[in-house]
Amino acid sequence: MTFHKSLLLIAFTVITAVSCTKLVEVDPPITSPSSGTAYTSDALAASVLTGLYMKMAPNSYAQGNQGITLFAGLSADELQAYNQSGASFLNAYRNQLSTTFTTFWQQLYNSIYNANAALEGIAHSPGGMSDSVKKQLTGEAKFMRAFLHYYVINLYGDAPFLDTTDYLINATVKRTPKEQVYELIVADLKDAQNLLKGFYVTPTGASTTERFRPNKWTATALLARVYLYQGKWANAEAEATKLIENTTMHKLVPVLNDIFQRNSTEAIWQIQPLTKQNYTMDGLLFVRKSPPSAGFPADLHPEFLADFETGDQRKLNWVDSFTFNTVKYFYPSKYKVKTVAAADTGKPASECLTVFRLAEQYLIRAEARAQQNNTAGAAADLDVIRARAGLTPTTANDQVSLLDAIMHERRFELFTEWGHRWFDLKRTGRIDAVMSVFTPLKGGGEWSSSKALFPIPASEIQLNPNLAQNPGYN
């Protein structure tokens, strides 16, 4: 289904669609609306936003075999695909995606539409919603709109910023310059910071220990990242510092294998599992004992594995392997559970997909400080992450060497998490140097700079000629 056709369907079903998928007896229970009266009570309105998070739980842009983690990791120098992997995975791996690739554009914009529908529905609620829940849900929807647009522009470059459900506007929209989209993202995130609570809440605003709904600190985490991407170093440092200093809410987890556990103190936002059989689709995707196939298309690339520093405990704890027909395959094992044991199916999930975590904030602040020539502060933040990984303090002591060291650390701390490596290569201007060597190794032929952006689906351009294609794609 193309984006514009799907807009017509969503416009008719946005309020009732989430009722088609229920959470399966997980803590806490979440209800879904079953009629067009979604904004007449706190619980029903909250379920519309819950629907946005529910879409992230199965295979989707958020995880699994349709995930940004997989496709960005294949596109960069993290993962490798095989002849048995299937065409779309091989094309991503070889940096040869075509204009028939539609997955992220359609999923992200459909969710943006839903966020806008929620904002409009809440604003025009006929009554029955409390002011506190209106405020909370507006903040959640603004955060989600910012979050989704962030991924759109980092995958595609200049792209439309949509803030309405008006089909006549959306069907003819032009691409918005990336810099302008960033400013609109910042505005949404600042609004979200002001609207959301500083603790985790249930759908209707009660305090909870479950980290399943975005709060003020989730918005702050993305805002720190966006400021870093914009080169607004002082702002990035300030936002990251807010999170790092909020030790009552977030702390680094000392044991590497505990970081991705449910309600980990390092987690800033996690996604609630939908099924009893699998906790995360990334666990299902990567953890395996079978040879490559379309269902299990990727493993860690040997060049990536070879670049770990000696003694890095992340390689010991976050990489696992198996041997099949004398061939040894290495896979990411940040998530340990592939399928849930029968005895555990009635228990709360032991691990949850983590969207934001505190370690990234230390690395954001380290980079922001290095860019401001605060070398001592940058090194101190970097060494916090290195120490947990069992590594000695950095020897970098000037701006250039520190920035290199931080990029190295980001590579091994954040691998196979939400496309960080692919985006880092692009935003720091390192992508041509790295991929001109790496793409030929992957069988992709000569690298060209145009491959840094994914192609806009041809079907979208056919429906809306105002959408110009990215360079290098027919």
Side-chain angles (χ1 to χ4, degrees), residues 49 53 119 122 131-147 188-203 205 212-222 249 268-269 356:
L49 270 299
Y53 314 139
L119 286 167
I122 294 164
D131 289 341
S132 63
V133 171
K134 277 187 177 182
K135 183 177 178 182
Q136 171 198 326
L137 298 180
T138 300
E140 289 185 27
K142 287 204 168 192
F143 165 79
M144 283 302 297
R145 185 167 68 184
F147 174 79
D188 269 351
L189 292 174
K190 286 182 175 180
D191 285 346
Q193 281 183 317
N194 291 327
L195 291 164
L196 294 172
K197 294 180 174 68
F199 50 88
Y200 292 96
V201 298
T202 65
F212 296 147
R213 298 187 85 88
N215 65 7
K216 173 183 177 179
W217 301 110
T218 315
T220 301
L222 182 54
M249 186 74 66
I268 301 171
W269 183 32
F356 293 98

Side-chain angles (χ1 to χ4, degrees), residues 402-413:
L402 271 167
L403 289 173
D404 287 342
I406 292 163
M407 286 303 106
H408 172 88
E409 211 62 40
R410 287 181 65 91
R411 185 182 182 194
F412 295 102
E413 179 66 26

Side-chain angles (χ1 to χ4, degrees), residues 263-285:
N263 298 324
S264 156
T265 60
E266 186 162 329
I268 301 171
W269 183 32
Q270 294 182 316
I271 301 302
Q272 183 175 15
L274 280 182
T275 75
K276 296 178 180 180
Q277 290 73 41
N278 310 106
Y279 294 152
T280 71
M281 294 298 104
D282 279 0
L284 180 64
L285 174 70

